[in-house]
């Protein structure tokens, strides 16, 4: 049921507010030619703004679905504690959704290199962090890994581990909500879908649904290049922690670097599409893919009809504000305006 007036009331108001079914479609916004280097090739690029969800990031969609399915199956009876391996968005969403289903306590295994800001965010939401030194070669079956420890803890009677890395209700949530919206919003004209790879729930869910509608649709998965950092997205090595068989849902993999991800997301933000580093990574991955197509004269072949535009959608998982300090770490001062009269400032960093 869509709620046109966007009012949530009654005893279940907050639970409804967190339920993607009760919202209109999230915005799909086309990039203007100044942000689209392929505009002259009749390529149209749209940003799907998961950052506009009530909790400000993509993870409330799978978190809501995972917790509600456990509730529907009667698996939350007697449960007092959620345990998850996550350093930010997922566990925050789970904690907030969990409270609406009667579970007040949430614990999270976080890697030793977690940033102080992220840790503060967990404490702000009342989540108990458990710092874990991860094995150097990640593997979900390694008893030292946070994924394994959270799974073990979740076997205790009063605890539950939703398990974002292997719970099918994670990708299913995107099949049910994100992909259906994109299909309707593009009037079935989408040719290319691109997203970052974290748990891979987003790519699997969207790929399953969109390819069931159009077999020739291309799915691009953007990952971090080796030793590069973009929060929420993994390198090929770190993707080994994921239990899903994601490769078969992806037609092309693009490896993206830190700087370009931060820079592109700042450019989008400055034009009014206010999104975070992993949105920049997805757009950079799409640009790389389109560059390859253009070099091999393949752009034409992907169109349904020669006179049509090539319609691309990239997913924007969240906004820039949780990572604001990182923009100043990864981008040099030439990217920012100078501060006039700086010497008069009373509170310098
Ligand atoms: C902040 C954030 N969370 C999550 C993801 C990835 O989603 P998933 O875990 O579904 O692969 C991304 C991917 O770009 C992200 O940037």
């Amino acid at each position: 049921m869509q709620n046109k007036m966007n009012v949530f009331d009654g005893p279940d108001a907050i639970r409804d507010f967190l339920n993607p079914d009760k919202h209109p479609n999230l915005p799909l916004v086309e990039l203007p030619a100044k942000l689209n280097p392929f505009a002259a090739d009749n390529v149209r690029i749209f940003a799907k703004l998961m950052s506009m969800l009530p909790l400000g990031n993509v993870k409330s969609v799978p978190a809501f679905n995972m917790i509600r399915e456990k509730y529907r199956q009667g698996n939350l009876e007697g449960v007092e504690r959620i345990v998850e391996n996550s350093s930010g968005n997922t566990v925050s969403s789970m904690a907030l959704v969990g409270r609406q289903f009667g579970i007040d306590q949430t614990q999270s295994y976080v890697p030793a290199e977690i940033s102080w800001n992220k840790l503060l965010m967990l404490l702000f939401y009342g989540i108990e962090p458990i710092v874990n030194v991860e094995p150097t070669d990640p593997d979900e079956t390694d008893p030292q890994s946070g994924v394994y420890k959270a799974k073990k803890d979740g076997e205790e009677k009063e605890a539950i581990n939703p398990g974002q890395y292997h719970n099918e209700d994670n990708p299913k949530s995107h099949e049910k909500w994100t992909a259906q919206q994109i299909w309707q919003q593009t009037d079935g004209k989408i040719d290319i879908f691109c997203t970052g790879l974290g748990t891979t729930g987003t790519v699997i869910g969207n790929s399953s649904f969109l390819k069931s509608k159009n077999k020739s649709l291309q799915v691009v998965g953007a990952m971090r290049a080796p030793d590069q950092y973009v929060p929420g997205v993994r390198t090929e090595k770190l993707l080994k922690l994921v239990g899903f068989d994601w490769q078969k849902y992806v037609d092309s993999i693009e490896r993206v670097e830190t700087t370009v991800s931060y820079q592109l997301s700042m450019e989008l933000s400055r034009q009014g599409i206010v999104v975070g580093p992993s949105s920049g990574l997805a757009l950079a991955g799409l640009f790389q893919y389109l560059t390859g197509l253009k070099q091999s004269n393949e752009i034409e072949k992907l169109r349904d009809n020669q006179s049509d535009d090539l319609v691309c959608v990239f997913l924007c998982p969240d906004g820039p504000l949780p990572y604001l300090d990182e923009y100043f770490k990864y981008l040099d001062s030439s990217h920012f305006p100078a501060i006039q009269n700086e010497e008069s400032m009373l509170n310098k960093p």
Side-chain angles (χ1 to χ4, degrees):
M1 191 226 16
Q2 268 195 14
N3 166 4
K4 284 205 179 103
M5 298 308 284
N6 238 357
V7 173
F8 302 88
D9 58 4
D12 292 329
I14 301 181
R15 194 193 284 195
D16 288 346
F17 174 57
L18 299 179
N19 181 349
D21 263 339
K22 311 264 178 178
H23 287 266
N25 288 346
L26 295 165
L28 187 72
V29 184
E30 182 166 11
L31 303 194
K34 72 190 278 193
L35 289 172
N36 175 2
F38 301 91
D41 304 298
N42 294 339
V43 174
R44 300 179 71 188
I45 301 179
F46 293 81
K48 176 68 175 167
L49 299 186
M50 308 306 281
S51 48
M52 300 295 283
L53 279 158
L55 303 183
N57 72 72
V58 66
K59 289 298 181 179
S60 56
V61 171
F64 188 88
N65 205 39
M66 287 189 275
I67 304 268
R68 188 180 58 179
E69 287 311 307
K70 297 230 177 270
Y71 173 77
R72 281 179 169 168
Q73 292 152 12
N75 292 338
L76 296 188
E77 295 284 324
V79 169
E80 292 167 7
R81 175 166 58 105
I82 294 172
V83 194
E84 187 69 7
N85 179 75
S86 155
S87 56
N89 289 339
T90 302
V91 76
S92 303
S93 296
M94 278 178 184
L96 274 47
V97 171
R99 289 189 188 117
Q100 294 310 313
F101 285 86
I103 307 170
D104 280 332
Q105 189 188 10
T106 299
Q107 296 178 321
S108 184
Y109 282 95
V110 300
E113 57 274 13
I114 187 171
S115 73
W116 189 244
N117 263 355
K118 270 199 175 166
L119 205 75
L120 293 182
M121 183 176 90
L122 298 186
L123 299 178
F124 174 81
Y125 284 129
I127 296 161
E128 300 165 29
I130 309 168
V131 179
N132 186 53
V133 179
E134 291 290 328
T136 43
D137 213 3
D139 174 356
E140 61 172 331
T141 59
D142 186 328
Q144 297 311 314
S145 72
V147 178
Y148 182 92
K149 288 180 183 176
K151 204 168 168 185
K152 269 268 156 268
D153 290 3
E155 287 166 11
E156 287 167 29
K157 216 166 86 226
E158 80 305 339
I160 198 153
N161 168 229
Q164 60 169 336
Y165 301 98
H166 45 78
N167 185 332
E168 292 296 334
D169 290 319
N170 169 4
K172 275 189 192 154
S173 68
H174 290 290
E175 209 174 319
K176 183 160 56 181
W177 287 308
T178 320
Q180 297 221 22
Q181 290 189 10
I182 293 172
W183 185 253
Q184 284 169 11
Q185 288 173 309
T186 58
D187 207 13
K189 296 212 161 59
I190 176 170
D191 298 295
I192 299 173
F193 173 77
C194 180
T195 189
L197 305 172
T199 64
T200 70
T202 306
V203 85
I204 294 174
N206 281 284
S207 178
S208 306
F209 182 83
L210 295 172
K211 280 180 178 282
S212 75
K213 294 286 187 185
N214 172 6
K215 277 205 293 295
S216 59
L217 176 128
Q218 295 296 296
V219 173
V220 182
M223 59 169 70
R224 283 154 48 184
D227 301 322
Q228 297 292 298
Y229 169 78
V230 175
V233 188
R234 291 170 175 264
T235 56
E236 190 155 22
K237 188 171 167 189
L238 287 172
L239 276 162
K240 287 193 196 133
L241 267 182
V242 169
F244 301 119
D245 187 11
W246 59 271
Q247 286 89 344
K248 65 178 193 221
Y249 297 90
V250 173
D251 300 296
S252 180
I253 290 174
E254 298 295 336
R255 293 173 177 78
V256 180
E257 307 212 331
T258 305
T259 318
V260 66
S261 305
Y262 280 77
Q263 192 178 330
L264 275 182
S265 75
M266 194 167 72
E267 283 173 25
L268 290 167
S269 299
R270 286 179 176 184
Q271 296 301 321
I273 299 177
V274 181
V275 290
S278 61
S279 310
L281 171 133
L283 182 58
L286 179 62
F287 284 172
Q288 286 175 201
Y289 177 72
L290 290 169
T291 303
L293 285 187
K294 198 171 165 175
Q295 281 164 356
S296 49
N297 292 324
E298 302 230 2
I299 286 190
E300 291 300 318
K301 282 196 207 148
L302 278 182
R303 295 186 216 283
D304 295 332
N305 185 319
Q306 291 305 305
S307 60
D308 282 351
D309 296 318
L310 191 74
V311 176
C312 311
V313 174
F314 72 102
L315 195 110
C316 299
D318 64 3
L321 296 186
Y323 318 101
L324 206 53
D325 53 333
E326 295 174 3
Y327 283 85
F328 297 86
K329 184 167 158 195
Y330 296 119
L331 300 178
D332 65 47
S333 58
S334 67
H335 291 92
F336 304 99
I339 306 171
Q340 294 190 32
N341 212 11
E342 189 175 356
E343 63 283 2
S344 311
M345 269 179 71
L346 296 178
N347 295 314
K348 278 203 192 169

